[in-house]
């Protein structure tokens, strides 16, 4: 059987326990053999605000996923043309690995917005979606042409998001429950988000 690859993209600013948990859910779903985590560069129009550099986000991502079997972190979007559109990334990865079957993985909140993504119909022509539950999101209003190409993955959702973590740091609240220790060490060392 062809190797099945899940592609899971994000800005991971910072990566958190919700990302670890959803990655675990994709890997245990039985749909994929490997998960490729794609670190996305910020698009030029989103350069302002409280953002960590690509390099530091990569350092945090590597720290968070140490020991995760069959998970690979990929920086390919940093070398493809920008802004990064998932469709072009998928097409590129398929051209490089024609023997693999790809699934595009996301949290349920992203599915609700998916019809607003550039080239979303083209993405659906390239691969199926794997979607894991996320608090505050549901898919009852998602168009059928999307849901018919979607597989839902069981996941016990964690109430955590990167933006909430940044707010907590800004207001001096602890983030120990939200990120692994290795990531909070980097946040502290680099004095991020304060
Ligand atoms: P932000 O708060 O800035 O929106 P985020 O926490 O959603 O950030 P991203 O890097 O944008 O982090 O997310 C990458 C992917 O991880 C998306 O598909 C998103 O749906 C998913 N995701 C993030 N947090 C969770 C969570 N707690 N549970 C399930 N999926 C999540």
């Amino acid at each position: 059987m062809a190797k099945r690859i899940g592609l899971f993209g994000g800005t991971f600013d910072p990566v958190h326990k919700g990302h670890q948990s959803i990655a675990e859910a994709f890997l245990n779903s039985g749909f994929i053999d490997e998960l490729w985590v794609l670190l996305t560069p910020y698009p030029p129009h989103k350069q302002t605000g409280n953002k960590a550099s690509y390099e530091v986000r990569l350092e945090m991502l590597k720290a968070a996923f140490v020991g995760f079997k069959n998970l690979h972190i990929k920086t390919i979007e940093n070398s493809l043309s920008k802004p990064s559109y998932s469709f072009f990334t998928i097409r590129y990865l398929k051209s490089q690995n024609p023997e693999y079957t790809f699934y595009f993985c996301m949290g349920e909140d992203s599915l609700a917005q998916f019809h607003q993504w550039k080239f979303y119909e083209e993405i659906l022509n390239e691969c199926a979606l794997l979607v894991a539950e996320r608090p505050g999101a549901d898919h009852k209003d998602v168009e059928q042409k999307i849901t018919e190409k979607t597989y839902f993955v069981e996941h016990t959702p964690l109430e955590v998001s990167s933006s909430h973590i940044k707010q907590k740091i800004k207001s001096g609240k602890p983030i120990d429950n939200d990120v692994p220790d290795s990531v909070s060490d980097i946040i502290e060392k680099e004095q991020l988000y304060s």
Side-chain angles (χ1 to χ4, degrees):
M1 190 167 63
K3 201 182 248 190
R4 302 158 308 161
I5 310 291
L7 302 175
F8 178 45
T11 46
F12 303 108
D13 193 17
V15 61
H16 53 65
K17 289 184 181 176
H19 295 132
Q20 290 179 309
S21 147
I22 197 179
E24 196 91 63
F26 292 133
L27 283 165
N28 292 333
S29 68
F31 283 102
I32 56 171
D33 303 304
E34 287 181 13
L35 187 67
W36 293 3
V37 178
L38 309 171
L39 180 60
T40 304
Y42 273 109
H45 62 280
K46 281 197 188 163
Q47 287 305 341
T48 53
N50 209 343
K51 296 185 172 31
S53 69
Y54 195 87
E55 290 67 31
V56 176
R57 286 186 283 131
L58 179 60
E59 190 187 346
M60 293 191 282
L61 206 48
K62 285 180 177 164
F65 287 120
V66 164
F68 275 62
K69 239 180 121 214
N70 300 320
L71 183 147
H72 303 277
I73 293 163
K74 303 277 182 185
T75 54
I76 183 65
E77 289 195 331
N78 210 21
S79 21
L80 294 177
S81 69
K82 300 191 189 67
S84 307
Y85 290 117
S86 301
F87 171 58
F88 294 131
T89 308
I90 292 166
R91 223 177 33 176
Y92 173 79
L93 290 172
K94 282 184 79 170
S95 74
Q96 294 297 302
N97 307 278
E99 70 283 19
Y100 293 172
T101 304
F102 287 96
Y103 289 83
F104 195 63
C105 302
M106 64 181 77
E108 205 175 2
D109 60 317
S110 302
L111 184 70
Q113 318 288 326
F114 186 65
H115 64 285
Q116 295 167 357
W117 288 27
K118 222 161 169 128
F119 310 120
Y120 80 96
E121 285 163 314
E122 287 82 352
I123 293 176
L124 294 173
N125 286 333
E126 296 291 338
C127 59
L129 307 183
L130 271 192
V131 170
E133 226 186 316
R134 181 163 188 192
D138 70 55
H139 55 267
K140 65 176 181 339
D141 296 328
V142 178
E143 296 166 56
Q144 194 191 340
K145 68 177 167 200
I146 298 175
T147 50
E148 70 192 9
K149 299 220 56 186
T150 302
Y151 297 97
F152 289 93
V153 169
E154 254 184 62
H155 177 234
T156 310
L158 287 187
E159 196 79 50
V160 47
S161 74
S162 299
S163 30
H164 195 204
I165 290 169
K166 288 178 186 170
Q167 284 167 12
K168 280 187 172 177
I169 295 173
K170 238 188 153 45
S171 50
K173 294 195 185 123
I175 53 160
D176 316 293
N177 290 330
D178 303 326
V179 297
D181 291 347
S182 55
V183 171
S184 65
D185 288 349
I186 297 169
I187 292 175
E188 213 163 286
K189 174 180 75 136
E190 300 287 339
Q191 302 184 339
L192 301 176
Y193 317 123
S194 48

